[in-house]
Amino acid sequence: GVALALNAIEGSNPGSGPHRLTHCYLVANEDRVRFKDLDVVADFQLAASSTSAEYQRFMVDAIGQKRATEIFLPAVPLLNDGALITLSSDWDADVLSPLRKLKHVLTLSEGKAIPSLSTALKMYTLNPAILLNQDHKTGTIEVGKYADFVVMDMNLFELPYQNIDQAQIVATFLQGNVVYDPAGVFSLPSPASPAPSSPPPASSTPAPTSSPTKAPTPSKIPAPTNAPTKPPTHSPIPAPTNSPTKAPTHSPIQAPTNAPTMAVTSGICLANESIVVVEVITDNYPKETSWELRDDATQLLIAEAWDEDFPNPNTIYTSSPACVPNGQCTTLTVWDWWCDGLSNGQGGFTVYLNGQVAGSGSHFGCQTSVRLCQ
């Protein structure tokens, strides 16, 4: 596939690039230098699903150990050969969060890991801008370009790679305008309007008619005290040793006796909020599973994925609670990248709304969703 695509570019109009090939899973050694020569960008996902031990074994069985080692996902060899590399999420086959993806690509095994954080960041920012012929407008923060950037509560360059995903987004700017600022760190207060009966004194300075288009860069931005924090890491609860080795058709998992109920939610959520808890029992292949909970505005409330949250098979994992305002609906989506659900073993999932079972399943193929309204 890759050689055929490169041949097509070479035989048509190679000077009209940059061109792009995505999902570059298998690239022959002799084709690597052609990416740079033909101005072809190699777009990789390097997803947890395709870099897992299970998938590596699948590739060895399919094409042999030598080829699986040399030509499978050669992002680093292509980088060393001078090719321009971009990273993308492959959502919804993998997690959408760039921070979790950065952590993953930087902590892969030797020879597969992107060599530095600055290199990985360029693969997410400047390199895609070059691919789209937009690098004169965006991709870096400099005079004359759009002020597109995020403000974070931690300096990624001061964190160990394995902790990068613990950073929180404080605010997001697009073309100099705040588009996300939940704690109001950058929100300018609205000028107070004078009372109709009392005109402002002559010496008063009139309020500006428009907000500044570009926010000043603060020297140090403290994390807001009410900024969301990462849910605490849960401890896996081993499945009972006398569980059956082959699960019958999955029935809803009964709420545990200590599941949160309406009587105790006031200590976890506000009085006008409902509590959502997700319980997953992994099957024999836990790293195939991920899920997320979003509200109707597609705001991500809580999520877990195969790359770190579900390391063990046939194990119960219970999420941290998500507090949802009453009257607001949410949607739980569960994925299995092998598209056989949680059916290999005794796996399944259950979602609780205020301590009551709101949905469950195990045999759902690639994905399933549960709508939650209170």
Side-chain angles (χ1 to χ4, degrees):
V2 169
L4 184 64
L6 292 174
N7 291 342
I9 293 170
E10 186 175 25
S12 56
N13 187 11
S16 62
H19 308 277
R20 176 181 63 175
L21 295 184
T22 192
H23 294 294
C24 298
Y25 274 74
L26 300 172
V27 181
N29 293 336
E30 59 269 23
D31 286 327
R32 294 204 311 249
V33 296
R34 301 179 68 194
F35 279 80
K36 179 181 179 182
D37 294 343
L38 296 173
D39 196 14
V40 177
V41 176
D43 180 48
F44 286 91
Q45 290 70 45
L46 299 181
S49 55
S50 56
T51 57
S52 66
E54 289 91 339
Y55 201 86
Q56 292 286 336
R57 287 194 294 269
F58 167 78
M59 292 304 301
V60 169
D61 291 342
I63 63 176
Q65 181 67 56
K66 185 176 185 297
R67 298 181 70 207
T69 301
E70 291 183 356
I71 70 173
F72 178 58
L73 291 176
V76 173
L78 274 168
L79 179 68
N80 293 336
D81 286 335
L84 191 70
I85 308 294
T86 58
L87 292 176
S88 55
S89 71
D90 202 26
W91 191 86
D92 60 357
D94 193 50
V95 295
L96 186 59
S97 167
L99 291 176
R100 294 187 70 170
K101 184 59 69 75
L102 282 171
K103 168 188 172 179
H104 184 72
V105 302
L106 291 167
T107 55
L108 289 171
S109 61
E110 185 176 356
K112 293 292 185 182
I114 302 303
S116 69
L117 175 58
S118 60
T119 300
L121 285 171
K122 286 181 180 179
M123 293 176 176
Y124 260 118
T125 54
L126 177 59
N127 294 0
I130 295 173
L131 168 64
L132 298 172
N133 289 311
Q134 296 294 308
D135 51 305
H136 62 293
K137 295 180 180 179
T138 188
T140 56
I141 303 173
E142 55 185 297
V143 175
K145 291 189 178 183
Y146 291 138
D148 298 341
F149 58 91
V150 296
V151 179
M152 312 189 74
D153 65 345
M154 302 180 187
N155 184 344
L156 298 187
F157 289 91
E158 296 177 354
L159 295 175
Y161 289 160
Q162 62 268 23
N163 294 340
I164 282 178
D165 62 339
Q166 295 181 12
Q168 300 289 328
I169 305 297
V170 176
T172 303
F173 287 75
L174 283 179
Q175 297 186 23
N177 297 312
V178 182
V179 296
Y180 175 76
D181 183 15
V185 176
F186 294 93
S187 299
L188 299 177
S190 301
S193 300
S197 58
S198 303
S203 59
S204 297
T205 303
T209 57
S210 61
S211 300
T213 58
K214 184 174 181 181
T217 303
S219 57
K220 186 175 182 182
I221 304 159
T225 57
N226 60 345
T229 59
K230 187 177 180 182
T233 304
H234 48 68
S235 300
I237 305 170
T241 55
N242 60 348
S243 300
T245 56
K246 184 175 182 180
T249 301
H250 185 75
S251 57
I253 306 169
Q254 297 301 312
T257 55
N258 63 345
T261 63
M262 290 296 289
V264 298
T265 54
S266 59
I268 301 174
C269 299
L270 300 177
N272 62 343
E273 292 178 326
S274 297
I275 181 171
V276 178
V277 174
V278 178
E279 181 182 83
V280 172
I281 301 180
T282 56
D283 63 6
N284 294 332
Y285 302 96
K287 294 186 178 181
E288 297 174 2
T289 304
S290 64
W291 64 264
E292 67 178 24
L293 183 72
R294 289 183 180 270
D295 61 20
D296 283 348
T298 71
Q299 171 89 15
L300 180 65
L301 303 179
I302 189 171
E304 292 181 326
W306 50 68
D307 57 343
E308 60 183 45
D309 295 309
F310 304 129
N312 300 315
N314 301 311
T315 303
I316 301 173
Y317 293 93
T318 303
S319 74
S320 299
C323 297
V324 181
N326 291 337
Q328 177 176 293
C329 295
T330 58
T331 300
L332 171 72
T333 304
V334 184
W335 291 274
D336 183 271
W337 67 262
W338 202 254
C339 290
D340 59 356
L342 290 161
S343 58
N344 286 290
Q346 51 188 332
F349 76 90
T350 300
V351 55
Y352 299 98
L353 180 62
N354 293 325
Q356 304 299 315
V357 174
S360 62
S362 64
H363 295 75
F364 55 82
C366 296
Q367 73 177 70
T368 187
S369 297
V370 178
R371 180 83 167 156
L372 305 170
C373 295
Q374 176 68 26

